[in-house]
Amino acid sequence: LTFPLLSVTLLVSFGSSMLYGYNLAVVNSPAVHIKAFYNTTWAQRYGHGLAPGPLTLLYSLTVSIFALGGLVGSLLVGMLVDRYGRNGTLSRSTFLVLLAGGFMGFSRQLGSPEMVIIGRSITGLHSGICLSVVPLYLGEIAPKNLRGFLGLVPSIFICLGVFFAQVLGLPELLGKDRFWPLFLSVVVIPASLQLLLLHCFPESPRYLLIERNDVCGATKALRWFLGTPDVQDVIEEMKEEQQSLSSVKMVSVWQLLRDRSVRWQTLSVVVVSAGVQLSGIDAIWFYTNTIFENAGIPVSQIPYTTVGTGAIEVVAGLVGCFTIEKLGRRPLTITGFCAMGICSAGITVSLLLQTTVPWMHYLAVTSVVGIIAGFCVGPAGVPFLMTAELFTQSHRPAAYIVGGSLNWLCNFTVGFIFPFLQMSAGAFCYLVFCGICLLVALYVYLVIPETKNKTFMEISYIFA
């Protein structure tokens, strides 16, 4: 593990991946203040406030528009990485964060709820791009024995982003009514740092050699990242992959879906990407305070309980990162999904019994912690790491578009529908998440092989 490898991993994780986690959780604590702003603005414009139903709908749109922006961003990934490269795409995408921060930061001053919604959609666009490009970049620059470790570092920063949003949302910091626009726009700081520093690091060597046929540039980049002048073995492995793809152009999404030779790889990406979002983790992040309030936790204690769950989330992410190369991708993913499924059932039990059993709110907290920990140990970063590992260079961008699109579609679905599902099904809505988690764990156990310490060509041979 060289200093350049670690530095670029930390930089893109801090400046891109962390923003995804932050934007997932940032709307949780200021929900009351944002709704009050919407109501006040509506009354000033039309002479009357919003009814509870339309207000819930407008706020659900604010939460879930982030995912629609992410969907658009994921669809642009293939075109962007082909035109600008991995490093170039990440550098250019930071301008989106600066634009979004301006919209959200000045929204109350200008009396415009529309600016909050537009800003949220632009942050989603940025996250949709980066959520695919960061693991793609890291997966291509990492040696095979470090691919799992470096591939899960972004997931730790996603957890850190959630944690920072929970801490900054405390009443003593930015959780007050007058600070919520600043709270939403803090994302410009990490993005600015990435914009300033990322140009110091070279492009992905695999992109330079396989897609641009730039052997000299790829050699220089490899020497920079690996810290050794002897990179001929890696160059030969890349040339072997390039030669095997010499008759194959970069495939489109439609060609990927029709290609029988990668059918199981594609199905695996579809199942795991959709399963991660439909597992209920987004419902936990978006509506943590509501869940704890329904479980009977005193309102004054909820912000601090939420911060505690965020701290455990970061620890779980670190455990996953440092054990993935020892235990492998497959066992961690299966364990994570099983833990999430069992804990989702635990939330249902706690909500059903809270009126008769006084200590049931402790079970609710424990179950939320279990879902978050299970997610961060395995499923958090595995879908994007797996997408990089299961496909060769010609199919990888299209696979990221498929996985990313499903990721965001399911994210939007959960974010938008969950409040209404909760109103109609009550505590039983969490049993849906339980069933999905256990089915995905079963699929991983039966279908997906272990990929640690294997080259991309070796993994391709396993599926063949």
Side-chain angles (χ1 to χ4, degrees):
L1 182 62
T2 63
F3 181 73
L5 266 179
L6 184 60
S7 299
V8 74
T9 302
L10 294 176
L11 178 62
V12 297
S13 299
F14 176 72
S16 294
S17 302
M18 190 176 74
L19 303 190
Y20 168 65
Y22 186 88
N23 285 309
L24 279 177
V26 73
V27 290
N28 183 38
S29 58
V32 175
H33 307 314
I34 295 174
K35 287 179 182 177
F37 167 64
Y38 286 179
N39 211 22
T40 303
T41 307
W42 194 272
Q44 290 171 349
R45 289 182 184 179
Y46 305 106
H48 60 85
L50 282 162
L55 183 59
T56 300
L57 183 65
L58 189 59
Y59 184 71
S60 293
L61 178 64
T62 305
V63 172
S64 53
I65 197 79
F66 174 71
L68 282 185
L71 173 61
V72 175
S74 67
L75 294 173
L76 296 174
V77 165
M79 178 189 71
L80 292 173
V81 296
D82 183 52
R83 182 170 182 178
Y84 300 115
R86 286 61 167 147
N87 185 302
T89 298
L90 290 174
S91 297
R92 287 167 173 80
S93 68
T94 54
F95 290 106
L96 293 171
V97 182
L98 304 182
L99 179 64
F103 270 104
M104 295 185 293
F106 292 103
S107 58
R108 186 169 63 179
Q109 200 170 355
L110 298 175
S112 175
E114 296 85 354
M115 290 178 69
V116 180
I117 296 171
I118 292 170
R120 284 281 295 170
S121 66
I122 296 174
T123 57
L125 180 65
H126 169 264
S127 292
I129 294 169
C130 295
L131 205 59
S132 292
V133 179
V134 168
L136 176 62
Y137 185 38
L138 298 181
E140 290 185 355
I141 67 174
K144 64 181 181 181
N145 63 310
L146 290 175
R147 209 162 53 223
F149 170 73
L150 295 183
L152 280 196
V153 170
S155 70
I156 294 176
F157 277 83
I158 292 173
C159 299
L160 278 172
V162 173
F163 179 63
F164 287 149
Q166 292 165 341
V167 171
L168 290 176
L170 290 173
E172 294 83 355
L173 297 173
L174 300 182
K176 296 183 175 69
D177 179 51
R178 67 179 185 273
F179 289 139
W180 68 259
L182 175 63
F183 185 32
L184 296 182
S185 57
V186 163
V187 289
V188 300
I189 297 173
S192 300
L193 185 66
Q194 178 176 286
L195 183 63
L196 288 172
L197 299 178
L198 191 56
H199 68 89
C200 300
F201 296 90
E203 185 52 80
S204 159
R206 304 189 81 85
Y207 168 79
L208 292 172
L209 193 148
I210 297 174
E211 295 185 37
R212 289 289 176 259
N213 205 28
D214 182 2
V215 179
C216 181
T219 304
K220 288 180 180 178
L222 275 173
R223 286 172 176 166
W224 170 274
F225 283 126
L226 302 183
T228 175
D230 184 17
V231 295
Q232 196 56 39
D233 289 347
V234 187
I235 292 290
E236 290 303 322
E237 187 249 314
M238 289 184 193
K239 285 183 176 179
E240 180 188 349
E241 184 175 344
Q242 184 189 38
Q243 188 173 4
S244 71
L245 300 173
S246 58
S247 59
V248 181
K249 294 183 179 179
M250 301 299 289
V251 303
S252 66
V253 171
W254 180 241
Q255 289 170 326
L256 175 73
L257 296 176
R258 295 181 61 191
D259 190 342
R260 295 187 175 214
S261 66
V262 292
R263 178 171 293 173
W264 281 104
Q265 292 97 311
T266 305
L267 182 60
S268 298
V269 167
V270 166
V271 169
V272 178
S273 297
V276 164
Q277 297 303 325
L278 296 177
S279 65
I281 188 64
D282 287 318
I284 298 294
W285 277 334
F286 288 150
Y287 302 104
T288 308
N289 288 13
T290 305
I291 293 168
F292 284 158
E293 188 176 343
N294 292 340
I297 296 174
V299 174
S300 60
Q301 296 178 15
I302 287 176
Y304 308 98
T305 308
T306 302
V307 169
T309 64
I312 293 170
E313 181 178 357
V314 175
V315 173
L318 288 168
V319 169
C321 187
F322 286 104
T323 57
I324 191 166
E325 292 298 353
K326 292 182 179 178
L327 301 179
R329 288 81 161 125
R330 195 164 165 268
L332 284 180
T333 306
I334 294 169
T335 303
F337 274 114
C338 287
M340 294 169 74
I342 293 167
C343 292
S344 293
I347 293 181
T348 299
V349 172
S350 68
L351 294 178
L352 289 174
L353 299 180
Q354 60 156 323
T355 54
T356 55
V357 184
W359 51 267
M360 270 297 140
H361 61 277
Y362 293 114
L363 177 60
V365 174
T366 305
S367 298
V368 168
V369 168
I371 291 172
I372 290 173
F375 173 76
C376 292
V377 165
V382 166
F384 296 97
L385 173 62
M386 186 179 72
T387 306
E389 292 187 330
L390 298 190
F391 294 90
T392 53
Q393 197 82 7
S394 59
H395 292 68
R396 204 171 288 133
Y400 269 107
I401 293 174
V402 171
S405 302
L406 273 170
N407 176 79
W408 289 105
L409 271 173
C410 297
N411 184 305
F412 172 78
T413 302
V414 172
F416 190 76
I417 291 177
F418 180 73
F420 303 99
L421 181 65
Q422 201 174 30
M423 284 191 284
S424 60
F428 294 103
C429 66
Y430 298 95
L431 292 181
V432 176
F433 302 137
C434 172
I436 290 170
C437 288
L438 296 179
L439 285 173
V440 175
L442 182 64
Y443 177 89
V444 174
Y445 176 76
L446 294 175
V447 175
I448 300 179
E450 183 54 65
T451 57
K452 70 172 183 177
N453 288 333
K454 292 181 174 65
T455 67
F456 296 124
M457 294 303 294
E458 288 170 343
I459 296 167
S460 181
Y461 293 147
I462 290 172
F463 272 97

